[in-house]
Amino acid sequence: MKFQIKLGHMLPVAAGLMVALYGCAQLPFSTTPPADKPQVDGRITFNNAEPSNQLLLGIKRFDGANFQKLTNTTTTDTKGNYGFARLVDGKYQVFYDDQGEDVTDPTVNTVGVYNSEAVEIASASTPAASISFDVSWDFTPTIKPEGTFRVGGADTFGFKALPAHSDAEYQILLADNDKKAVWSSNWVKTTSFTWNGKRGTAVAAPSTAYTGVGRHFYQIKFQKPGTTYGKEGYYGQTKWVPFFVTR
């Protein structure tokens, strides 16, 4: 079951809720060194304050080529504090995924997925490596959930910047009703995107014919400038926002 979580008015986190970032393979649970002391710890906040709920977190380890999701998970306390122990030496990222696949509430105020920047740990390291981040994002889209975008009109995909990262750059991904990609923009430091109604990938003005109308979805992605989405810098995305295309 998917949950759409709005911090401040959140649904309880189910004990069996799976934390997963689509496309990430799983590595086996790290069993050494046999220590209970956290080797990666930190605090997850909402608007730089206590999240009020316990949040489920996952962790990924660099395998020499990519960051792969481990089976390890942990839950914060209500103040947002967490810790991961029993990790082998290596480079790690902590991630949050509230599993709220589609936005149905226009006031949803969290990221959908957040991956932290990477840190190195060693078994003899003291204190633990620290990773903290904020999950608030009242992105207030101009094309609201179940709203309409008219091709050739004055409509734009606008939103508020991610408050935790003033340097972030953004990309919009637009998909059809089956969530198959139709258009993705370039990565830019802007919070407003235009779409000419055509198909393309990572372009400002796509040119391939596309005649789709009706229900579609879009998603705003963010990343640390100078890095690559899915690599060592912070990155993440909103949930899918459903909307309707007219021509």
Side-chain angles (χ1 to χ4, degrees):
M1 179 178 181
K2 300 283 187 180
F3 287 90
Q4 178 172 299
I5 299 178
K6 179 182 176 186
L7 290 180
H9 303 279
M10 293 175 62
L11 298 173
V13 176
L17 185 63
M18 293 293 292
V19 172
L21 180 61
Y22 298 117
C24 292
Q26 289 189 355
L27 296 179
F29 186 91
S30 301
T31 58
T32 56
D36 293 324
K37 181 178 178 181
Q39 294 154 280
V40 175
D41 65 12
R43 184 174 181 231
I44 310 306
T45 55
F46 173 73
N47 279 333
N48 298 311
E50 296 177 5
S52 300
N53 284 65
Q54 293 179 299
L55 304 179
L56 191 62
L57 303 176
I59 192 165
K60 295 189 289 184
R61 178 164 58 85
F62 189 62
D63 66 0
N66 297 293
F67 283 88
Q68 304 288 4
K69 182 174 70 72
L70 303 179
T71 56
N72 311 46
T73 61
T74 192
T75 303
T76 70
D77 61 22
T78 57
K79 296 182 182 297
N81 300 305
Y82 77 92
F84 281 97
R86 298 179 178 271
L87 301 172
V88 298
D89 294 358
K91 188 181 294 185
Y92 290 85
Q93 289 175 314
V94 173
F95 70 92
Y96 164 77
D97 181 353
D98 78 357
Q99 295 290 288
E101 185 173 286
D102 297 346
V103 172
T104 56
D105 181 348
T107 64
V108 164
N109 53 13
T110 68
V111 297
V113 173
Y114 185 100
N115 287 260
S116 74
E117 295 195 57
V119 296
E120 287 270 5
I121 70 165
S123 55
S125 295
T126 303
S130 179
I131 298 178
S132 297
F133 54 87
D134 194 279
V135 296
S136 64
W137 190 6
D138 176 15
F139 63 99
T140 313
T142 56
I143 305 298
K144 294 179 172 54
E146 309 298 343
T148 299
F149 178 91
R150 184 169 66 86
V151 175
D155 297 332
T156 61
F157 292 92
F159 55 94
K160 290 184 178 179
L162 184 67
H165 296 294
S166 60
D167 65 336
E169 58 185 12
Y170 302 93
Q171 180 189 64
I172 184 169
L173 172 62
L174 192 150
D176 63 18
N177 192 43
D178 295 322
K179 293 182 179 171
K180 295 180 179 178
V182 172
W183 169 61
S184 59
S185 71
N186 296 317
W187 284 98
V188 289
K189 289 185 178 181
T190 185
T191 57
S192 182
F193 291 86
T194 59
W195 179 50
N196 63 6
K198 297 184 178 182
R199 187 187 296 273
T201 302
V203 293
S207 58
T208 303
Y210 180 69
T211 59
V213 295
R215 191 175 179 84
H216 284 64
F217 292 86
Y218 74 90
Q219 189 175 72
I220 306 297
K221 296 188 174 185
F222 61 87
Q223 69 178 13
K224 182 179 180 179
T227 62
T228 301
Y229 193 93
K231 299 298 182 180
E232 293 195 19
Y234 70 77
Y235 67 94
Q237 62 204 33
T238 64
K239 304 170 183 66
W240 285 108
V241 181
F243 73 107
F244 294 85
V245 173
T246 64
R247 293 176 184 270

